[in-house]
Amino acid sequence: MAHIRLRCVECGASHRADVRALYCNTCKLPLEVEYTGVGALSRSGLGGLWRLGAPAPVHSPSHVVSMGEGMTAVALLERSGLLLGLASLFGKLEFQSPTGSFKDRGTTVLMSALKEAGVDEIVEDSSGNAGASIAAYAARAGITAHIFAPASAPAPKVQQLRVYGAHVHLIEGSREAATQAAKAFVEQRGLVYASHNLSPFFLEGTKTFAYELVDQFPEGLPDHVVLPVGNGSLLIGAWIGFRELQASGRVKRLPKLHAVQAEVVQPIAAAYMGRPWRPQAGARTAAGGIAVAQPPRLRQALRAVRETGGACVAASEEAILRWQRLLAREEGVYAEPTSAAAFAGLELLARQGVIGARDVVLVPVTGMGLKDMAPAE
Ligand SMILES: Cc1ncc(COP(=O)(O)O)c(C=O)c1O
Ligand SMILES: [Zn+2]
């Protein structure tokens, strides 16, 4: 990792690259990867998103843990566009990745960095999709994984963790309770906390979403990208990718990045609107993947939205479930509720005139409906 350092997202302080480092020593805020040189990684023979030529924190191709993730299809969503009064609405079918969600983008890079660092046992906490992704890639890398998840996580997601052979720790209470339990376990056992929410390496994978869009829209990038946001790994990763592409001259104008949250869990949308917000006891959303009350990268997520000229909105439960059904019946796209939330948010943005009828809009369909089936009846 001699070609990278880790930079504090707040004060800019530079830290030595280390897979265990998750916070700035001074600010206690998360870090991001800074490239000080070109890695020795030769991409010949590597598939999936590793072919895109994005700077990567891994040196040797022999450490890359990959299953050809990324390179997901873009589909025109004509009927949904008509319903919303939009001429050009596209979905990027992120559930086509190996474990059924966009998380594999981040995991392939994070797991490769862990393998390169010689790590053999990790801890992660997740509402489901990231855990499944980490469990799968850990199995592939020969790394033992402990995954902490809320006891309320959907059964198919928990089953997916188990089938990959992860040690599953189900924790009663909120999503945050699973995080606290994972952190305590890391302390107790002296293990590596491979947190997809905190690790800067995960964002180095999700940034490839931006690189792919440049290839898939050779005539010009979409005007708007509307994303479901909990911790913001796809939002922030896409922003990092677009800025890299802008710095290298490949992109002139960035799409506006819009963040969608659920009404009942909306720390980022509330901060964007300057409104106070506190989690309400017992309030649940069908969009479990974005039910994050205290996202550690909240300020970074807000910057991604503001600096690209985007907006944050909060979607109702009724609209989230309505869009899940609608996407399945009108488009043949079976999204999980968390992913459908982005469309519910798009509906608000179109209604508010933030997105115009002639604008080109892209929404990542981040996760597969089969993994979170309960609400879709
Ligand atoms: C399907 C799906 N979409 C979107 C998200 C939100 O990702 P993030 O928390 O990184 O913003 C998640 C997170 O678990 C997810 O599972
Ligand atoms: Zn700092």
Side-chain angles (χ1 to χ4, degrees):
M1 288 186 185
H3 66 301
I4 60 165
R5 290 185 64 80
L6 301 178
R7 181 175 49 209
C8 170
V9 297
E10 208 52 43
C11 74
S14 185
H15 301 248
R16 196 174 60 79
D18 179 351
V19 287
R20 288 177 181 263
L22 298 175
Y23 297 105
C24 169
N25 295 336
T26 317
C27 313
K28 309 295 174 224
L29 284 166
L31 303 164
E32 62 188 0
V33 172
E34 176 182 32
Y35 290 90
T36 52
V38 190
L41 183 70
S42 144
R43 287 179 186 77
S44 55
L46 294 176
L49 56 81
W50 293 91
R51 272 196 316 224
L52 290 161
V58 184
H59 244 292
S60 164
S62 65
H63 294 134
V64 169
V65 188
S66 171
M67 289 187 261
E69 51 291 309
M71 311 308 279
T72 56
V74 167
L76 180 66
L77 303 178
E78 207 169 348
R79 291 199 199 155
S80 309
L82 266 175
L83 275 169
L84 293 166
L86 301 172
S88 308
L89 172 61
F90 296 93
K92 187 159 166 62
L93 308 184
E94 288 291 286
F95 57 76
Q96 292 175 342
S97 263
T99 73
S101 86
F102 79 94
K103 304 278 185 181
D104 295 340
R105 290 185 186 280
T107 305
T108 182
V109 174
L110 172 57
M111 201 59 66
S112 302
L114 291 164
K115 193 171 168 199
E116 192 155 84
V119 172
D120 59 10
E121 192 167 357
I122 56 168
V123 179
E124 152 77 323
D125 57 287
S126 161
S127 66
N129 281 329
S133 181
I134 295 271
Y137 283 75
R140 194 166 172 81
I143 292 175
T144 302
H146 297 270
I147 313 287
F148 287 71
S152 59
K157 288 186 178 175
V158 175
Q159 170 59 14
Q160 200 184 1
L161 296 175
R162 294 212 161 100
V163 90
Y164 293 127
H167 299 266
V168 180
H169 306 251
L170 293 180
I171 306 298
E172 290 299 334
S174 65
R175 171 70 183 81
E176 275 65 38
T179 303
Q180 292 316 321
K183 285 182 174 169
F185 191 75
V186 166
E187 289 293 312
Q188 249 172 42
R189 302 273 185 106
L191 295 174
V192 173
Y193 184 27
S195 164
H196 70 284
N197 295 327
L198 292 171
S199 171
F201 298 105
F202 197 83
L203 298 175
E204 289 304 296
T206 53
K207 79 179 181 188
T208 58
F209 179 81
Y211 281 77
E212 274 177 39
L213 283 189
V214 171
D215 281 355
Q216 289 174 316
F217 287 84
E219 307 290 320
L221 285 167
D223 301 302
H224 306 270
V225 178
V226 182
L227 309 104
V229 172
N231 279 292
S233 71
L234 189 55
L235 167 71
I236 297 166
W239 185 48
I240 291 173
F242 283 127
R243 278 184 304 159
E244 268 179 13
L245 288 156
Q246 197 175 36
S248 69
R250 283 183 66 194
V251 163
K252 298 270 173 297
R253 187 182 52 85
L254 268 54
K256 292 182 172 152
L257 301 178
H258 304 276
V260 180
Q261 299 212 282
E263 271 177 6
V264 290
V265 189
Q266 52 158 311
I268 298 173
Y272 172 82
M273 288 178 253
R275 286 201 306 244
W277 180 83
R278 269 210 251 117
Q280 284 168 10
R284 298 248 351 245
T285 171
I290 52 174
V292 183
Q294 292 176 311
R297 292 186 186 269
L298 184 145
R299 290 162 68 94
Q300 219 182 346
L302 273 183
R303 243 181 277 139
V305 168
R306 290 213 167 105
E307 290 188 18
T308 58
C312 296
V313 287
S316 72
E317 291 302 297
E318 178 278 323
I320 292 171
L321 297 180
R322 177 163 46 80
W323 272 100
Q324 188 191 26
R325 276 192 301 273
L326 201 148
L327 287 168
R329 292 182 187 184
E330 301 294 326
E331 310 283 3
V333 170
Y334 190 9
E336 66 168 276
T338 301
S339 314
F343 290 85
L346 170 60
E347 185 173 59
L348 293 172
L349 292 165
R351 208 183 287 155
Q352 292 164 5
V354 176
I355 292 181
R358 294 176 170 280
D359 295 349
V360 178
V361 183
L362 181 127
V363 181
V365 185
T366 50
M368 160 57 74
L370 283 174
K371 299 218 271 175
D372 191 356
M373 292 197 310
E377 292 133 25

